[in-house]
Amino acid sequence: MATSSIANKMNSSLGRTIKTVTVIGGGLMGSGIAQVAAETNHQVIIVDQKQEFLDKSLNIIQTSLKRIIKKKFEQDQQGGEKYFNDVKNRIKTTTNINDAVQSTDIVIEAIIENLETKQKLFKQIDQVAPKHTILTSNTSSLPITEIAKDVQRQDKFGGLHFFNPVPVMKLLEVIRISGTSDETFQTLLNFGKALGKTTVSCKDTPGFIVNRLLVPYLLEAARMIERGDATPEDIDTAMKLGAGYPMGPIELLDYVGLDTSKYIVDGWKKLYPNEPSFQASELLNKIVGEGKFGRKTGAGFYNYKK
């Protein structure tokens, strides 16, 4: 135990301290990452294409903060107001990527899941960011190695996969590629802990840990309906009461978004055509083809329209 403790301390000292965080993409994930970073005393810059997107991002953060403050500072209104203002003042926004990375310690990309778009973005950032800046992607489905293909600083590239909603979900998957240095990887692990997350180390494999297990499970639930093995309701009830899951797989598919799940598995199938667990569900394809993506469209496997 003593030897292990000493080793952990030595490893921990390898990493650099992250003070300034640049988040590229101000959507739900980007907003959540920015909020958590600001709440843990980091200076944050959010970057997006238009000011209206940034205004929406700030609104998402402020709404979330108010919910937290209502619980955390129930008996201390003054303390709550100070907390809100302190966090808000740590967040800046810009539409200029080059300006946003001039003095940052880490870049976290949380934009659309499109490989070419991400590659182009990181090639640009790599050319203008300081040498010490670590570059990371929050992708849930694309290979980190491919995203980093055109980046020179391979030793300072990795993955940080957060879970939605970021302020609530405690897990952070930390992914290293073959070029990631020990110092960079330890810095990412330390940064995750500084954000209040529990970190797990992952290799750059499809879906990392959570989605690699989760997506095939969701697909098999859809195939069970295809084969007539069970109804959506019975599948969900069985997994909630029999396995203790808080949500059944069909409910979860609708919650995540059927289009999102299809996009992930289509990408994996393209890369690994012979992997049985990555085979498409014809029923899922059919429902998505009808424009039913789950809760966000009011219909998926279930109908959510009143």
Side-chain angles (χ1 to χ4, degrees):
M1 287 293 288
T3 305
S4 175
S5 178
I6 292 168
N8 287 340
K9 285 179 182 176
M10 287 176 67
N11 286 338
S12 184
S13 67
L14 275 175
R16 297 171 62 96
T17 301
I18 300 293
K19 295 179 180 177
T20 306
V21 179
T22 298
V23 180
I24 314 286
L28 275 176
M29 288 300 295
S31 298
I33 294 166
Q35 176 186 326
V36 168
E39 283 192 89
T40 49
N41 297 311
H42 297 86
Q43 296 300 316
V44 180
I45 305 166
I46 307 174
V47 187
D48 216 318
Q49 294 173 312
K50 296 180 181 179
Q51 188 58 46
E52 64 188 271
F53 298 159
L54 293 168
D55 292 342
K56 186 177 180 182
S57 180
L58 289 175
N59 186 54
I60 291 169
I61 292 169
Q62 289 174 19
T63 302
S64 175
L65 280 174
K66 285 172 184 174
R67 280 198 299 267
I68 291 168
I69 288 164
K70 195 173 181 181
K71 293 179 182 177
K72 196 172 181 179
F73 295 91
E74 191 177 0
Q75 307 297 327
D76 182 9
Q77 186 178 346
Q78 192 174 353
E81 288 174 2
K82 184 181 184 304
Y83 185 85
F84 180 86
N85 289 326
D86 286 349
V87 173
K88 191 173 75 168
N89 290 336
R90 292 188 199 109
I91 302 173
K92 294 181 175 63
T93 63
T94 183
T95 56
N96 190 312
I97 291 174
N98 290 0
D99 287 349
V101 302
Q102 283 299 322
S103 58
T104 196
D105 295 316
I106 189 169
V107 172
I108 305 173
E109 167 271 310
I111 64 171
I112 187 171
E113 288 283 77
N114 180 287
L115 182 59
E116 288 182 8
T117 304
K118 290 180 190 286
Q119 288 171 336
K120 185 179 176 182
L121 173 70
F122 278 114
K123 187 175 183 180
Q124 176 186 346
I125 294 171
D126 188 37
Q127 292 168 354
V128 295
K131 288 183 179 179
H132 78 276
T133 303
I134 295 174
L135 309 182
T136 68
S137 175
N138 178 58
T139 183
S140 61
S141 61
L142 298 172
I144 304 290
T145 302
E146 285 301 305
I147 293 172
K149 183 172 71 75
D150 299 320
V151 170
Q152 295 299 310
R153 63 183 85 190
Q154 293 284 310
D155 62 318
K156 291 184 173 63
F157 206 104
L160 289 176
H161 182 218
F162 293 83
F163 293 81
N164 195 32
V166 181
V168 177
M169 301 295 278
K170 295 296 184 185
L171 184 66
L172 175 63
E173 291 181 324
V174 183
I175 304 102
R176 75 185 302 165
I177 58 176
S178 60
T180 308
S181 70
D182 289 342
E183 181 186 31
T184 295
F185 193 64
Q186 190 59 52
T187 299
L188 294 177
L189 290 171
N190 293 348
F191 176 57
K193 293 185 177 90
L195 295 178
K197 302 300 181 188
T198 297
T199 60
V200 290
S201 304
C202 309
K203 290 187 177 179
D204 188 21
T205 55
F208 315 129
I209 296 175
V210 173
N211 282 338
R212 180 65 178 86
L213 293 169
L214 181 62
V215 174
Y217 156 70
L218 298 179
L219 283 173
E220 184 56 28
R223 291 192 201 100
M224 289 185 75
I225 301 169
E226 276 179 45
R227 295 192 298 263
D229 295 346
T231 65
E233 293 83 0
D234 284 348
I235 291 170
D236 284 339
T237 299
M239 293 311 293
K240 285 188 285 188
L241 300 185
Y245 289 8
M247 190 180 284
I250 306 304
E251 288 175 301
L252 187 54
L253 273 167
D254 274 356
Y255 178 80
V256 169
L258 304 186
D259 55 328
T260 302
S261 298
K262 174 176 160 47
Y263 179 88
I264 291 171
V265 78
D266 285 351
W268 291 357
K269 187 182 177 185
K270 190 175 178 182
L271 290 170
Y272 304 93
N274 299 320
E275 172 57 53
S277 61
F278 295 167
Q279 297 309 304
S281 157
E282 292 306 319
L283 179 58
L284 177 63
N285 290 346
K286 177 178 178 292
I287 296 172
V288 171
E290 292 169 353
K292 299 173 182 175
F293 300 160
R295 283 185 174 272
K296 60 187 173 186
T297 59
F301 281 97
Y302 295 115
N303 189 352
Y304 300 95
K305 292 173 182 171
K306 299 286 185 183

